[in-house]
Amino acid sequence: MGFLLTKMMAVFGNREHKVIIVGLDNAGKTSILYQFLTKEAVHTSPTIGSNVEEITVGKTNFMVWDIGGQESLRASWYSYYGNTEIVILVVDSTDRERLNLTKEELHRMLAHEDLKKAAVLILANKQDVKGSMTAAEISQSLTLDSISSHSWHVQACCALTGEGLPASLDWMKSRVVAN
Ligand code: G3D
């Protein structure tokens, strides 16, 4: 029944927008997805697998794929890229050592044909931790200002409290409405 409804909604224009959550392991991807589901949006139903959730914000439906960030899994991120409208890149703002690795992964993703039209939301997570990098520092280290090929936005957040996540959902919504 749920499947049928989803299909009917797609036919009548209330379609789902595909979102992927990427980032290195331990960045906070799963915590953020959980916050989206419990705090800021209506959780409808878990779908295809435990790592895919549907999030409804007002009349906008996002199908959100939480993809593993371990090194072995990063090699297969590309297999999720097809039809993705928004990429959420979660950064652990306390992990200065691996920020360069995140930068490499980000620029590799942006160069991929299947993500040509995707918008990118960079979440500077773990802002509650003292001494964590600010969104501006992360933005500079990831050389976000050099990105002109994609629409992007950087947002400071804390997955534990949910701070910064409503603004993230608003930006995501504005992106899909704009297209
Ligand atoms: P991942 O899905 O990207 O691998 P997780 O990351 O969501 O599993 O989070 C990894 C660890 O970081 C978890 O701690 C989680 O509680 C913590 N974490 C996530 N977001 C935040 C945040 O905003 N602030 C703080 N302080 N911690 C955060 P554990 O101890 O369970 O491994």
Side-chain angles (χ1 to χ4, degrees), residues 95-105 141-142:
D95 192 355
R96 293 171 193 272
E97 277 180 16
R98 294 198 300 166
L99 194 54
N100 208 38
L101 190 52
T102 300
K103 178 185 168 187
E104 284 169 19
E105 295 291 356
S141 297
L142 297 179

Side-chain angles (χ1 to χ4, degrees), residues 110 116-121 147-153 171 175:
L110 294 178
K116 215 165 56 181
K117 293 184 183 162
V120 184
L121 173 65
I147 301 170
S148 56
S149 52
H150 295 70
S151 168
W152 60 268
H153 178 67
W171 185 81
R175 286 301 84 203

Side-chain angles (χ1 to χ4, degrees), residues 24-31 125-129 157-160:
L24 302 185
D25 50 292
N26 207 46
K29 300 179 293 297
T30 308
S31 306
N125 191 34
K126 306 197 184 182
Q127 288 296 313
D128 58 305
V129 180
C157 75
C158 170
L160 299 190

